[in-house]
Amino acid sequence: MLLLLLTACGTSIDNTRWREYTVGREYSRARLLLSENKKDDARRIFSNLRRLEPTNLGALYNEARLTIDSGDRETLAEELLALIDSAKNPKLHAAYLSALSQITTDRHRREDLLAKALEIDPENCLAHALLALRLDERGEFTKAYEHNLRAAQGSEPPPRVFRRLGAYEAEHGKRDDAIKHFESYLIFEPDDVLVLYNLGTLYLHAEDWSKAESYLSAAYGLDRQDLDITLNYAKAAIENGRYEIAKTLLDRAKRLNPKEPMIYYNLAVFQAERLNKYRDAIRNFASYLANGGTEIRRVNGWIVELKEKLEK
């Protein structure tokens, strides 16, 4: 699992209306259906929520995102055109145009709709977020980042905005901002394993061991088969003095992939530095080298040093 590097614009989401859009039994049921890959069932729930309340942009965003069938697209397009004609203010007008761009298959038409939406409402969150998505698809990541920043400064950006900001900025070394954006995203999507893992790893780099362990433990609880999660959780547990947990995790890592050299390296360092089990450490350093570890000179030096300690 690769660490996504991110950054946040520092914008608070305390006033976002997206939370209002994502509460209630039906919304929760739709999210559960999505987790079970029942996308069409979820789409119908979002559609019903939007029809009950046309200003429910969260439901509209998700409905448009999940509308794949050409007949369903035509039906939604007709409804959106009616909403555009009856929109009572520029903000809603722009939001409906942006949603229409989601179900438009022609690239130029999509971008024309988003450009028109931003002409009507230059700060429209949904328009900036969807334009960023289009730019990401074209590989224009810096421009996409700028539009995601604009989206994040509004009152109702889609949660994915915070995830994308985080990913971009973490990649560019802006750790503190990345942490803020990932944590903002988790308010809406608390079970995103990759974001939990990224946060835990970012906190490891910041040497905030307690928070690192908290997020990595949560990621591990959702995915016990991922080697990177397991190893990083073990590292955080070691730094927090939870040695029994760390031993259990490192043993599990060996079962997950017994040929991975870094497992033996981490285990050897743990045994040498924290447990004073020098013979075990030597054996695991040897396993590291036997499985293709590349730090040959450094590890051989460590083995010599540990053997000298045993002879004293």
Side-chain angles (χ1 to χ4, degrees):
M1 181 177 289
L2 297 176
L3 171 66
L4 297 176
L5 299 178
L6 330 129
T7 260
C9 63
T11 300
S12 169
I13 64 166
D14 292 342
N15 296 322
T16 183
R17 289 191 62 208
W18 208 267
R19 290 173 72 88
E20 299 174 23
Y21 299 146
T22 56
V23 296
R25 182 180 302 173
E26 288 300 290
Y27 214 103
S28 298
R29 191 159 71 91
R31 287 190 62 210
L32 177 61
L33 289 167
L34 282 176
S35 71
E36 297 171 350
N37 204 33
K38 297 177 180 177
K39 295 181 180 179
D40 204 48
D41 291 335
R43 179 191 62 80
R44 282 192 285 269
I45 290 176
F46 289 127
S47 178
N48 289 336
L49 289 172
R50 187 264 307 169
R51 288 187 175 116
L52 286 171
E53 184 185 351
T55 61
N56 187 332
L57 299 185
L60 176 59
Y61 167 81
N62 283 293
E63 178 189 6
R65 181 171 64 91
L66 296 169
T67 301
I68 306 300
D69 178 79
S70 59
D72 292 332
R73 282 177 181 265
E74 289 180 13
T75 299
L76 180 54
E78 290 174 2
E79 295 183 30
L80 282 170
L81 288 170
L83 288 171
I84 289 167
D85 289 340
S86 62
K88 296 180 179 179
N89 59 61
K91 184 175 181 179
L92 275 177
H93 192 170
Y96 294 145
L97 283 170
S98 301
L100 183 59
S101 78
Q102 283 188 279
I103 59 169
T104 301
T105 56
D106 180 80
R107 180 173 68 86
H108 297 294
R109 171 67 172 155
R110 283 200 306 263
E111 294 183 7
D112 286 345
L113 287 167
L114 290 171
K116 186 174 180 181
L118 288 172
E119 285 179 12
I120 295 169
D121 179 11
E123 303 306 320
N124 191 271
C125 296
L126 192 55
H128 280 294
L130 293 177
L131 183 54
L133 181 61
R134 304 279 81 84
L135 291 165
D136 268 336
E137 291 170 351
R138 297 213 302 265
E140 297 183 46
F141 302 121
T142 299
K143 288 183 179 179
Y145 168 70
E146 292 168 356
H147 282 282
N148 276 325
L149 277 179
R150 296 281 294 276
Q153 291 164 4
S155 63
E156 51 197 58
R160 67 166 298 280
V161 164
F162 299 102
R163 196 181 197 276
R164 293 304 304 164
L165 283 172
Y168 179 93
E169 294 177 345
E171 186 178 348
H172 289 77
K174 299 180 180 180
R175 185 180 63 211
D176 292 343
D177 287 339
I179 286 171
K180 290 176 185 177
H181 270 149
F182 274 145
E183 289 182 338
S184 295
Y185 173 76
L186 286 180
I187 292 172
F188 304 98
E189 300 291 343
D191 296 334
D192 190 312
V193 175
L194 183 57
V195 172
L196 289 166
Y197 168 79
N198 284 335
L199 269 170
T201 308
L202 287 166
Y203 274 119
L204 277 180
H205 292 169
E207 299 185 356
D208 190 331
W209 313 124
S210 179
K211 287 185 178 179
E213 185 175 358
S214 174
Y215 284 115
L216 290 165
S217 172
Y220 181 76
L222 293 166
D223 185 357
R224 294 173 182 262
Q225 303 303 311
D226 189 279
L227 182 62
D228 291 321
I229 291 174
T230 306
L231 288 175
N232 279 284
Y233 181 16
K235 178 176 175 58
I238 290 168
E239 297 295 345
N240 281 316
R242 303 180 196 276
Y243 293 165
E244 290 302 318
I245 292 175
K247 285 190 282 187
T248 299
L249 290 165
L250 289 168
D251 285 343
R252 178 167 181 78
K254 284 197 290 184
R255 293 196 299 274
L256 288 172
N257 187 355
K259 297 296 185 181
E260 171 52 53
M262 285 308 299
I263 298 170
Y264 300 98
Y265 181 88
N266 289 354
L267 187 55
V269 172
F270 175 39
Q271 291 167 333
E273 292 189 341
R274 302 301 177 97
L275 304 179
N276 296 324
K277 293 185 175 181
Y278 301 146
R279 284 189 176 85
D280 291 340
I282 290 169
R283 185 175 64 254
N284 280 302
F285 275 135
S287 294
Y288 166 80
L289 295 173
N291 282 286
T294 58
E295 295 285 339
I296 298 171
R297 190 171 180 181
R298 181 180 182 185
V299 167
N300 279 329
W302 210 327
I303 290 172
V304 170
E305 182 181 329
L306 291 172
K307 286 180 176 178
E308 289 175 351
K309 287 184 178 181
L310 286 172
E311 292 171 357
K312 289 181 181 179

